[in-house]
Amino acid sequence: MVDKDIQDTPVAVPKQNLSQILAQTVKTGIIKSNLVPMLAGLTLALYTYNISPFEKIPEMILALIGSALIIGAAGAFNNLYDRDIDSVMERTKNRPTVTGMIKAKSVLWLAISMTVVGLGALALTTPLAAILGFLGIFFYVFPYTMWTKRRTIYNTEVGSISGAMPPLIGWAAIHPDITHPAIIGLFLIQVIWQMPHFYAIAIRKHDEYKAAKVPMLPVVKGVRRTYIQTNIYLVVLIAASFLFQTLSLGITLVALVLSIAWLVLSIYGYKKMDPEKWARSLFIFSLFHMTILFSTVIIYSLMGIFFQL
């Protein structure tokens, strides 16, 4: 059970203003990073269906607002529920929800309000976008945060479903059909990407997760098992790259090269580096992988759109 009174325990932390408190509560860094895949899905739908962006300006604005709000709401719900384990971990012990700089009731109402307004904004684009937004926040709060995060080494796999919703939401906000291979490819790649990414974090923060009793794969099964499982997911990631073939050979090659390079780095690094350095190299490359791939999708889609006009 989560200790609901932890927020009342005084902790010596640097003084913060309201904007800083709110930013940490809703995890603005995660909001920003997840809006890039959302925009990739959105621009890809515009290009795929030959739709002018000028025809969809309201939908684009609403998709940005709605996505930002539901991602922030998910972060707030997560911070609220995880106050007990956040208080143990070094990187999270100064969160406002832990230190008491924001009250639990305020966080709850903030999260609920952001959810309602966010889903409302997405519903004004297409009903499917709102449904996907709801599924994203539902999976993050209930199956992940409240159920699997503290119980199983497969918590990352469960959480990856909600983490991969942004490109689907972006696409659905423009076109209410998510069966095209290109958007399925974006979704699957973001699902798979999260395992090597978060495994690397878990190795680097092994002692913190162990102290908080969060059963991350490296904590429970060790680095060797994590290495094997990381490579399995990277092989699947390589295979998923071919889903872009129906859309663009260029994007397919970018996804393929990035994924192969990640696998090579994993195999080579594991043999040549200590676990901490190996995990750090994988973590850094995961950021490059996602940034380059989704930026390529956005640039390719926008160039295709304006050449079509």
Side-chain angles (χ1 to χ4, degrees):
M1 290 293 291
V2 178
D3 183 357
K4 303 304 179 185
D5 295 321
I6 282 179
Q7 77 277 10
D8 297 323
T9 303
V11 179
V13 293
K15 188 175 181 179
Q16 296 175 311
N17 59 40
L18 181 60
S19 62
Q20 291 173 319
I21 292 171
L22 291 176
Q24 291 185 50
T25 301
V26 303
K27 303 184 181 180
T28 52
I30 293 178
I31 293 175
K32 293 173 185 176
S33 63
N34 276 279
L35 286 180
V36 175
M38 192 282 293
L39 287 172
L42 187 151
T43 55
L44 191 57
L46 291 172
Y47 169 72
T48 302
Y49 297 104
N50 194 21
I51 301 171
S52 169
F54 302 109
E55 298 175 12
K56 294 289 185 176
I57 290 176
E59 286 83 355
M60 293 165 66
I61 294 172
L62 287 167
L64 276 168
I65 294 172
S67 297
L69 287 172
I70 62 168
I71 294 167
F77 278 125
N78 178 262
N79 276 342
L80 179 63
Y81 191 82
D82 278 351
R83 285 169 292 159
D84 58 336
I85 60 177
D86 283 348
S87 67
V88 176
M89 300 178 69
E90 187 67 28
R91 69 186 180 91
T92 58
K93 68 180 185 180
N94 289 331
R95 284 178 174 170
T97 42
V98 175
T99 63
M101 296 186 75
I102 185 169
K103 293 186 179 297
K105 185 178 292 186
S106 300
V107 178
L108 178 61
W109 280 112
L110 175 65
I112 291 172
S113 300
M114 292 176 71
T115 300
V116 172
V117 177
L119 292 178
L122 292 178
L124 292 175
T125 61
T126 68
L128 179 59
I131 292 171
L132 292 170
F134 172 78
L135 289 175
I137 198 168
F138 175 83
F139 270 97
Y140 192 75
V141 174
F142 295 102
Y144 172 64
T145 299
M146 298 180 69
W147 180 33
T148 60
K149 183 175 181 177
R150 301 166 186 245
R151 290 177 172 83
T152 172
I153 59 172
Y154 298 106
N155 51 20
T156 304
E157 281 79 355
V158 173
S160 70
I161 302 299
S162 60
M165 283 295 175
L168 293 182
I169 293 171
W171 178 288
I174 300 300
H175 189 82
D177 181 356
I178 53 173
T179 59
H180 193 285
I183 190 57
I184 293 175
L186 277 184
F187 173 74
L188 289 178
I189 281 176
Q190 195 166 12
V191 167
I192 299 161
W193 172 89
Q194 291 176 81
M195 269 63 81
H197 173 77
F198 286 109
Y199 290 165
I201 294 175
I203 291 173
R204 297 176 64 203
K205 303 296 181 182
H206 176 280
D207 293 343
E208 294 184 37
Y209 282 113
K210 185 176 181 179
K213 299 181 180 179
V214 178
M216 299 298 288
L217 181 65
V219 175
V220 178
K221 298 295 184 178
V223 175
R224 175 67 181 176
R225 164 68 180 274
T226 305
Y227 165 70
I228 294 171
Q229 203 152 311
T230 292
N231 290 347
I232 291 172
Y233 280 119
L234 291 177
V235 170
V236 177
L237 193 64
I238 291 170
S241 302
F242 290 101
L243 287 169
F244 291 118
Q245 272 189 309
T246 59
L247 177 71
S248 163
L249 177 60
I251 293 178
T252 303
L253 289 175
V254 169
L256 195 59
V257 169
L258 285 170
S259 299
I260 291 174
W262 199 355
L263 178 61
V264 170
L265 175 64
S266 176
I267 296 171
Y268 176 82
Y270 184 78
K271 294 177 179 179
K272 300 293 184 180
M273 306 174 189
D274 61 69
E276 168 69 23
K277 190 174 181 181
W278 173 69
R280 179 176 174 78
S281 68
L282 290 189
F283 171 74
I284 293 172
F285 191 87
S286 72
L287 301 180
F288 280 115
H289 181 286
M290 192 52 59
T291 301
I292 293 171
L293 178 58
F294 280 105
S295 295
T296 300
V297 171
I298 292 171
I299 293 169
Y300 174 87
S301 299
L302 290 176
M303 288 180 63
I305 291 166
F306 288 110
F307 278 124
Q308 289 171 354
L309 292 179

